[in-house]
Amino acid sequence: MLNTFIFVVLPYVALALLIFVTPYRYLTNRLTWSAYSTQFLERKALFWGINPWHYGIIPILAAHVVGVVAPGTVKGFLANQDTLIILESLGLGLGLFALFGCLVLLPRRVNSPLLKRVTFASDYILLILLTLQTATGIYIATFMRWGSQWYLHTAVPYLWSLAAMSPRVDYMADFPMVLKLHAAGAFLIVALLPFTKLVHLLFLPIGFIKEPPILYRWRAKHMP
Ligand code: HEM
């Protein structure tokens, strides 16, 4: 029951929301189609949060994707023990770097009265979810060795079975709960993407330049 919910219901609901809500938001609420900046309210903690987060998580997500699209090539790479250890260590370092970023960004919003005023429930939910997602990933990488290898023989065929509309839950059913939570977290993040500022992920960096500017209106007493 739980397995069916996590590995069948959640991913398809997430995909449906992504496909239908994203264009709706793009067409009806264009000015919110971005990670609106809080840089002019607070920039010191932002620097120490946003940089580790992005430099850590982007290569990790890219590695997740490369495993899915080119499992054979990755398998060849990881067959060499030295390469396996180097890549896993690199992944762990990047994961910890990303987690550090989350742990700066979350209190940044909680502790600043000025930022609190421009922080929505969706911002908190997203930040907490990303922190948990990163933490469960680090746990898996540390205590369920060697994830980069068994991922190719379990999660990857499962994800392909999802894409083929014929989900093979058996690939994932016997994993410990922490991996199920990690997968559920990933689907939840995809489901929330069109409702939160994570929607900016759909832009290539160049897209930001072409986008219309975001309009801020502040009353004088709110100005920093
Ligand atoms: C929003 C999507 C996701 C995010 C942000 C994410 C994030 C992470 C992070 C930060 C790590 C730690 C990397 C390290 O320290 O080496 C990790 C590891 C891992 N993730 Fe994910 N993940 C996502 C989706 C998924 C999905 C859908 C699966 C499979 C169903 C998955 C399976 C794994 C596995 C097996 C590891 C361990 C890799 C290793 O041991 O090197 N992840 N993830």
Side-chain angles (χ1 to χ4, degrees), residues 177-195:
M177 189 48 99
V178 65
L179 186 77
K180 294 181 184 178
L181 286 178
H182 190 70
F187 300 139
L188 270 180
I189 289 167
V190 173
L192 286 180
L193 189 146
F195 301 98

Side-chain angles (χ1 to χ4, degrees), residues 7 53 57 60-61 64 88 90-96 98 130 133-138 140-142 144 146-148 150-151 155 158-159 172 179 182-183 185-187 189-190:
F7 295 115
W53 166 250
I57 203 68
I60 287 177
L61 279 181
H64 279 64
E88 285 263 355
L90 197 66
L92 198 54
L94 289 168
L96 289 168
L130 291 174
Q133 186 67 7
T134 310
T136 51
I138 291 171
I140 295 163
T142 310
M144 293 168 61
W146 300 88
S148 55
W150 54 251
Y151 174 78
Y158 156 70
L159 290 169
M172 306 300 284
L179 186 77
H182 190 70
F187 300 139
I189 289 167
V190 173

